[in-house]
Amino acid sequence: IGKMKTSALIFCSTAWSGYAFQSAPASRATFRASPLHETKADLEDLAKKLNPVIGYYDPLGLGGSRFAGRSDEFTVGFLRHAEIKHGRVAMA
């Protein structure tokens, strides 16, 4: 009986070990993040709500600038994307 348990244990461990290296199945529903359309005024209000002691802090004044002559929403979105990207690179 001891030999049978050992054989069953080896079989089960080899049979299920392949699943650990497979990717998750693709779901049919796709996830889309809703785009954020925020302006500098929205960021100032959010900063006051989240941290009333410091409030809005932008030492370089990037929140008030317009990149490529585009709107405030584009500038805030670009800066948010760059912050997330560079934060991920720094953590790698």
Side-chain angles (χ1 to χ4, degrees):
I1 202 160
K3 199 173 203 183
M4 188 172 173
K5 286 183 182 180
T6 305
S7 298
L9 180 66
I10 291 172
F11 174 75
C12 288
S13 65
T14 57
W16 293 100
S17 65
Y19 288 106
F21 299 105
Q22 292 182 358
S23 62
S27 64
R28 293 177 190 229
T30 58
F31 173 75
R32 287 190 180 180
S34 62
L36 297 174
H37 300 288
E38 294 181 330
T39 61
K40 182 180 177 184
D42 295 332
L43 293 179
E44 290 173 355
D45 292 338
L46 182 64
K48 288 177 186 174
K49 289 178 189 175
L50 295 176
N51 191 351
V53 175
I54 296 174
Y56 182 72
Y57 181 70
D58 185 14
L60 298 177
L62 295 175
S65 61
R66 291 182 176 220
F67 292 164
R70 303 258 183 118
S71 65
D72 286 343
E73 291 89 1
F74 175 80
T75 301
V76 170
F78 178 82
L79 291 173
R80 184 181 301 262
H81 174 75
E83 182 177 8
I84 292 170
K85 178 177 72 172
H86 289 94
R88 289 180 179 166
V89 169
M91 288 187 288

